[in-house]
Each structure stands twice: as structure tokens, then as C-alpha cells.
Amino acid sequence: MRRRIVAGNWKMNGTVADLATVAEISTAAKTAACEVVLCLPATLIRSARNLVGMEIGGQDCHARAEGAHTGDISAPMLRNAGAGWVILGHSERRRDHAEIDAQVAAKVLAAWEAGLTVILCIGETEAQYRAGETLGVLAAQIAGSLPEGATPANTMIAYEPVWAIGTGLTPSSDEITRAHAFIRARLPDPALSILYGGSVGPANAAAILALRGVDGALVGGASLASETFIPLIHAMEAAHA
Ligand code: PGA
């Protein structure tokens, strides 16, 4: 049995006023038949943890535990603030901060060392998709950004086609199933969970979460409001009831 999870990624959104949304989601998470985690801006992690019992994560961490790295946040700092999880290798980090696989791999090791569970993001760009390079890109990203030592307890993979993030576009069911099977065959342990991410919302969650090999979702836009995120938790429960 692989872990089933719905993870929210708030990205650079949310202030103290939005802790009310965290509380609403937390109430639904308490009785959920799957894992639920919210990856919040670092500024909200401590107050969210103090407010609710649910799992909270960060969205990035530095590869070092401390030092002269102005503006960065380390994995032990996230842990100390109350996070149990961290998203690493998100395409927006790769794009905005020119992160490459080797840096992502170093961050994964730092996160494990701090006791954080990693959601490692991989996925092809639109140009790579159009050129038919999807599977090759996924193979290279797994080889380059997932160090030895991944277990179902410390790591999940999120397949996020870059062109599907925030666009309302999604791959076909066949494409998602094929990508997940391809990824699974390249993981050190086939029991690692693989989430799909990219424009998941209440309208398409049931269909996507029911696909073979899809163990959950990583959700951006629809995770920002309880009205759109809680239905995804229910869709996950229904898909594997
Ligand atoms: P989206 O973002 O759900 O808004 O497409 C997903 C993600 O970037 O994790």
C-alpha cells in the first residue's frame, strides 16, 4: 500500500489573515482517509503549527544547515519552525533561481538530515513536451536530483509538467499514466508515492486521482481556498475507497 496524499503549495501567497483558511483545511484533514499537508510560505509555518495539528511543509531549503547565505532558510530552520515536509526542485525554483539537479540533490540530503519528508518535483517544459522529450527529461531529473537513500518514509515524487502549472492545461490520462509508470520504474523503491501536479482542481481531481499509479496530488492555485482544496481531499478518499 503506497502513501496517499493531497499536498497544497501556497507558493508566494498568504499572510496572517489566511491562517483562517489553514484552520478550515485542518479540520477536514483531521478525519481524512489520506495524508494532507500544506506547504506554506516560511513566514507562516510557526503560526500555522501553533494554530492547527495538521502537517505543514516549506517550499524550499538551502543545502547547508547554517551560515552566510543571506535570505536563505535551512532545513533545520524549517524543522524548528514546525515543518515536517519540504517541496524541493519545484519548476518555479528551477526557473526563477536557476536551480539545477545537483543543487536539488544536495537540498534533498539536507532535508533528510533534518528529518523532513521531501516532495521532489520533476517535469518537462512545454518545449520539451512538444519535442517528445518528456520521458528523457524525467529520467535525467530522477538520476540527477534524487540521491541514494530515498524511502517511502522520507520522499515522495511529484510529476508536474511545467506547461500544466497554473495554466488550466493537463496532460491526457494516458500521458499521466505513462509518465507515472515510467517514473516508478526508475525509482529505487517502487513503494515510493508519486503525486501528479499541474492545474488540479475540483473539476478534474476525481478523474486524475483515479488513474493507475497516481498516489496523490500537489496542488497550487486550488489549495489557497478551503472551498477548492477540501473537495480534493474528498476526491482522493473516493478514488481509493
Ligand atoms: P497549480 O500549481 O495547481 O496552480 O497548477 C501546481 C504546483 O505548482 O505545484
Side-chain angles (χ1 to χ4, degrees), residues 3-84:
R3 296 171 73 177
R4 312 281 187 198
I5 179 169
V6 178
N9 172 12
W10 275 23
K11 309 191 179 187
M12 199 170 69
N13 298 289
T15 63
V16 170
D18 299 299
L19 290 172
T21 302
V22 177
E24 286 162 14
I25 291 170
S26 164
T27 302
K30 256 184 214 124
T31 54
C34 62
E35 296 182 65
V36 181
V37 54
L38 277 181
C39 295
L40 299 175
T43 46
L44 290 182
I45 291 174
R46 169 49 64 196
S47 23
R49 265 313 274 187
N50 286 344
L51 180 74
V52 300
M54 73 175 293
E55 294 290 327
I56 301 293
Q59 302 170 7
D60 175 53
C61 69
H62 197 274
R64 298 204 181 273
E66 68 205 358
H69 302 286
T70 301
D72 280 308
I73 296 175
S74 74
M77 287 170 172
L78 289 178
R79 182 87 191 151
N80 182 253

Side-chain angles (χ1 to χ4, degrees), residues 9 11 90 92 160 164-167 197-200 218-222:
N9 172 12
K11 309 191 179 187
H90 192 281
E92 287 152 15
E160 298 204 304
I165 294 175
T167 58
S199 294
V200 176
L218 179 56
V219 184

Side-chain angles (χ1 to χ4, degrees), residues 4 32 93 100 105 122 151 173 191 209 213 221:
R4 312 281 187 198
R93 298 290 313 177
I100 59 169
I122 57 175
T151 69
S173 299
L209 292 171

Side-chain angles (χ1 to χ4, degrees), residues 32-230:
C34 62
E35 296 182 65
V36 181
V37 54
L38 277 181
C39 295
L40 299 175
T43 46
L44 290 182
I45 291 174
R46 169 49 64 196
S47 23
R49 265 313 274 187
N50 286 344
L51 180 74
V52 300
M54 73 175 293
E55 294 290 327
I56 301 293
Q59 302 170 7
D60 175 53
C61 69
H62 197 274
R64 298 204 181 273
E66 68 205 358
H69 302 286
T70 301
D72 280 308
I73 296 175
S74 74
M77 287 170 172
L78 289 178
R79 182 87 191 151
N80 182 253
W85 299 69
V86 65
I87 295 171
L88 292 174
H90 192 281
S91 62
E92 287 152 15
R93 298 290 313 177
R94 294 176 189 261
R95 180 196 69 199
D96 296 350
H97 300 272
E99 282 188 17
I100 59 169
D101 285 339
Q103 287 168 303
V104 176
K107 291 178 177 204
V108 171
L109 290 173
W112 288 344
E113 178 74 25
L116 298 173
T117 300
V118 171
I119 299 175
L120 174 66
C121 301
I122 57 175
E124 81 284 1
T125 63
E126 183 177 3
Q128 290 164 335
Y129 174 74
R130 285 182 190 280
E133 295 169 1
T134 298
L135 300 182
V137 168
L138 297 178
Q141 288 181 332
I142 294 166
S145 59
L146 183 63
E148 265 178 52
T151 69
N154 67 16
T155 305
M156 297 186 181
I157 308 296
Y159 169 52
E160 298 204 304
V162 178
W163 53 273
I165 294 175
T167 58
L169 303 171
T170 54
S172 70
S173 299
D174 279 354
E175 287 170 326
I176 295 176
T177 308
R178 192 154 141 259
H180 280 235
F182 180 86
I183 293 165
R184 191 168 311 286
R186 272 147 196 84
L187 295 179
D189 183 341
L192 290 183
S193 294
I194 307 174
L195 320 182
Y196 169 78
S199 294
V200 176
N204 61 15
I208 290 173
L209 292 171
L211 294 174
R212 188 171 343 116
V214 176
D215 304 312
L218 179 56
V219 184
S223 72
L224 292 170
S226 49
E227 295 77 16
T228 46
F229 192 61
I230 291 173

